[in-house]
Amino acid sequence: MNVVGSELSQQYRKHFIPLESNPEVFTELLHKLGVSPALEFQDVLSLDDPELLAFLPRPVLALILVFPTTSSYDNKVYEEDAERQPYSASHDDGDVVFFKQTINNACGLYAILHAICNSEARSELGTRTPEARDSIVGRLEHQCSRLGPDEVALLLETDIELERVYVELAQKGDTEAPGNAEDEVDYHYVCFVKSHEDGHLYQLDGDRKCPIQLGAVPANEDVLSDPCLRVIRGMIAQENENANFNLMALVPAGS
């Protein structure tokens, strides 16, 4: 997403081929990044049908929404972010991990990283086992904890192993991948997550200025709760140009 001609226009220093909105592709990347096979992504088939929602394993740790970046959406982002301050580690953000996106077309990767590092999936990382500590995302989380936002962005850009596994997965899926990583695409991924730190719901999008706090989620509820569904339904209702949305959930596997 790029708001042309505005002070909010995102500056990309690197380009990747975008990921297909496919839970199998996202799950394979999730595991290659170092998250346990105990978690996977599944499609959310309905926002309104209780029977279809009931089929999803619980708890839902995070949601990743892919949606069209139309002119109406770009204008809305410009207006909203004009009043926001850029993210910094000193903000009162509930210890939210936020990755500023500087790799074009890699919003799917940033959404996965936001989902891992801000949900209970984070318990799979850190120092629990040597394997977790030495995984791509475990290593990144450890390094990023000591850096500022711009340094974190540069770290992601220059991580050779991260790029290798991403490029491998970007070639997979049911549709042919774009031939040129610098080609602009009309769809964008964002993550919704209930922070494991403060229990609040956040919308995390590396193309925005900062994490967007959407309010508290009841302690006995997960991300697939009314506060989050209202936001997603609102995004869909406001889009008149292209209503082609897709939603994936990070859930326990094999349920």
Side-chain angles (χ1 to χ4, degrees):
M1 184 270 294
N2 193 4
V3 185
V4 178
S6 80
E7 64 179 1
L8 301 179
S9 181
Q10 185 63 285
Q11 299 298 312
Y12 299 114
R13 298 189 291 254
K14 197 168 186 175
H15 302 268
F16 281 178
I17 292 172
L19 290 176
E20 179 180 273
S21 178
N22 181 323
E24 293 182 0
V25 171
F26 271 64
T27 296
E28 187 172 351
L29 180 54
L30 179 78
H31 297 162
K32 286 184 178 294
L33 291 174
V35 174
S36 165
L39 297 177
E40 67 181 8
F41 283 100
Q42 291 189 18
D43 278 323
V44 180
L45 300 177
S46 172
L47 294 178
D48 303 301
D49 188 327
E51 292 187 5
L52 289 176
L53 288 175
F55 278 111
L56 276 175
R58 308 301 278 266
V60 175
L61 302 185
L63 293 169
I64 292 180
L65 178 70
V66 59
F67 58 94
T69 52
T70 60
S71 58
S72 59
Y73 172 78
D74 286 348
N75 290 335
K76 180 174 181 291
V77 167
Y78 174 73
E79 293 173 0
E80 291 178 352
D81 277 10
E83 303 299 322
R84 293 191 170 102
Q85 294 299 314
Y87 171 80
S88 73
S90 62
H91 280 185
D92 182 16
D93 49 30
D95 292 320
V96 174
V97 178
F98 182 71
F99 299 101
K100 177 182 177 182
Q101 184 174 341
T102 55
I103 306 175
N104 193 27
N105 292 331
C107 50
L109 172 63
Y110 285 83
I112 292 175
L113 292 174
H114 281 138
I116 295 170
C117 293
N118 290 288
S119 72
E120 292 300 330
R122 191 175 183 178
S123 65
E124 302 287 342
L125 309 175
T127 58
R128 301 187 73 188
T129 66
E131 292 78 11
R133 185 170 60 249
D134 295 337
S135 69
I136 295 173
V137 73
R139 170 173 48 76
L140 285 173
E141 186 197 38
H142 176 68
Q143 293 173 312
C144 291
S145 65
R146 300 171 293 176
L147 302 175
D150 291 333
E151 294 171 304
V152 169
L154 185 60
L155 182 68
L156 295 184
E157 289 177 41
T158 56
D159 193 295
I160 296 174
E161 190 176 5
L162 177 66
E163 181 172 359
R164 179 185 60 78
V165 298
Y166 178 91
V167 169
E168 176 186 343
L169 268 297
Q171 302 294 336
K172 295 189 175 183
D174 297 326
T175 57
E176 185 177 353
N180 186 349
E182 296 191 31
D183 289 345
E184 290 295 328
V185 295
D186 297 326
Y187 290 87
H188 187 57
Y189 292 97
V190 299
C191 174
F192 295 89
V193 66
K194 178 182 178 180
S195 170
H196 75 291
E197 292 282 353
D198 65 7
H200 284 74
L201 176 68
Y202 288 88
Q203 179 179 334
L204 297 167
D205 176 355
D207 268 352
R208 303 293 293 263
K209 276 189 174 181
C210 58
I212 300 171
Q213 209 255 77
L214 299 172
V217 177
N220 62 339
E221 295 186 17
D222 59 20
V223 182
L224 197 69
S225 58
D226 283 340
C228 188
L229 292 178
R230 282 198 299 269
V231 172
I232 294 173
R233 290 185 186 117
M235 292 176 68
I236 295 173
Q238 291 173 4
E239 189 49 65
N240 297 319
E241 298 176 50
N242 184 343
N244 190 9
F245 289 71
N246 189 54
L247 187 65
M248 290 178 285
L250 178 60
V251 296
S255 301

